Amino acid sequence: MPKKYTAEERERAVRMVREQVPEFGSVTAAAGAVATRLGMSRETIRNWCKQDEIDAEESSRPVDG
């Protein structure tokens, strides 16, 4: 059964990755470092980051009307 994480845990992990991308050079590398620190899966955090990017793009689109 997959672990369930709170929205706060997810937001914190994504924020940490975003802050560390310049140091690590990629989302995947930064997600690996954050995952190790938080005891989570790198792929889980990387997927959260991808979804966060998609959501941000969708929210910045103008609404047709």
Side-chain angles (χ1 to χ4, degrees), residues 1-62:
M1 177 185 263
K3 288 184 182 178
K4 290 285 187 178
Y5 294 104
T6 65
E8 291 80 16
E9 289 171 315
R10 180 179 173 149
E11 290 165 10
R12 178 176 180 230
V14 170
R15 186 174 60 251
M16 290 173 71
V17 169
R18 298 278 179 244
E19 290 170 355
Q20 294 184 30
V21 165
E23 179 183 342
F24 286 92
S26 73
V27 170
T28 301
V34 170
T36 299
R37 192 170 317 145
L38 298 180
M40 297 176 175
S41 160
R42 181 191 75 184
E43 283 303 298
T44 295
I45 295 175
R46 195 176 69 78
N47 288 333
W48 289 344
C49 291
K50 284 189 343 188
Q51 188 61 52
D52 187 61
E53 236 174 73
I54 291 166
D55 294 346
E57 288 174 12
E58 289 177 357
S59 70
S60 69
R61 286 191 194 140

